């Protein structure tokens, strides 16, 4: 088995188990059984279950950063925001299990430190990017407008991930674009 493939199997298995039965109820043995790998492979990559969780979070943070990095800042503000919304909604769909797990971990004082730093780094990077778009639109309060827009996006994410079983995520794009246009205008 290629090294990265084994590591990915561990991440995938850990994600499924942490989400379905919780971090504390999940053992390293259960993760290895779910992944179909030896216990030694876990300790080849990670010193502990906590380190495996930290690696899982770091890997997903890298995915989000690559999504943000793929967004173009050229073109109009509306085009940039439209692309961002598409990527954001797609990320919610493709990383739903991880994001639900992350929400749970943020509420656990014992594990918050593992999740909080990468989550804040992602939020800061997104806020900076959106602030630049509002600056480009010539708004006098670009950071506050960006914060308002991101709060709307976060609210949609929260509803999709934890509140409503059948949240109409795809139907939100027109409303998000309208909110962005409203925030861009004075």
């Amino acid at each position: 088995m290629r090294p990265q493939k084994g590591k990915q199997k561990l991440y995938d298995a850990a994600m499924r188990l942490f989400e379905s039965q919780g971090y504390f109820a999940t053992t390293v043995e259960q993760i290895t059984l779910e992944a179909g790998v030896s216990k030694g492979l876990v300790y080849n990559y990670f010193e502990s279950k906590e380190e495996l969780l930290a690696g899982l979070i770091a890997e997903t943070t890298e995915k989000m950063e690559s999504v943000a990095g793929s967004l173009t800042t050229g073109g109009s503000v509306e085009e940039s925001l439209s692309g961002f919304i598409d990527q954001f909604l797609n990320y919610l769909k493709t990383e739903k299990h991880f994001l639900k797990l992350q929400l749970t971990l943020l509420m656990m004082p014992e594990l918050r430190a593992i999740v909080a730093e990468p989550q804040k780094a992602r939020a800061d990077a997104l806020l900076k990017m959106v602030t630049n778009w509002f600056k480009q639109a010539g708004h006098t309060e670009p950071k506050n407008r960006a914060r308002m827009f991101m709060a709307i996006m976060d609210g949609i994410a929260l509803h999709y991930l934890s509140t409503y079983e059948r949240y109409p995520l795809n139907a939100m794009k027109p409303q998000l674009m309208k909110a962005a246009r409203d925030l861009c205008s004075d």
Side-chain angles (χ1 to χ4, degrees), residues 124-182:
D124 288 345
L126 292 175
L127 180 63
K128 182 179 179 182
M129 183 172 48
V130 175
T131 297
N132 286 335
W133 289 329
F134 283 105
K135 240 183 240 180
Q136 183 183 339
H139 202 280
T140 56
E141 296 179 18
K143 195 166 194 175
N144 287 338
R145 295 295 169 124
R147 283 187 172 125
M148 179 62 75
F149 182 73
M150 291 309 301
I152 293 168
M153 299 292 284
D154 287 344
I156 287 171
L158 187 60
H159 282 190
Y160 175 70
L161 296 170
S162 66
T163 306
Y164 298 103
E165 188 68 29
R166 292 192 178 122
Y167 190 79
L169 195 59
N170 292 332
M172 292 292 101
K173 173 128 189 222
Q175 287 78 15
L176 286 168
M177 286 304 298
K178 181 179 180 331
R181 280 187 218 97
D182 291 348

Side-chain angles (χ1 to χ4, degrees), residues 43-93:
Y43 294 110
N44 186 46
Y45 292 115
F46 312 103
E47 290 184 23
S48 65
K49 182 173 71 168
E50 186 175 293
E51 192 175 289
L52 188 155
L53 176 62
L56 175 63
I57 290 165
E59 183 214 24
T60 306
T61 296
E62 287 174 22
K63 284 182 192 175
M64 182 59 177
E65 288 170 353
S66 73
V67 166
S70 73
L71 295 170
T72 60
T73 54
S76 72
V77 171
E78 187 159 332
E79 290 170 335
S80 295
L81 285 167
S82 178
F84 172 72
I85 290 168
D86 289 339
Q87 292 288 341
F88 187 88
L89 296 177
N90 188 55
Y91 184 74
L92 287 176
K93 288 183 235 173

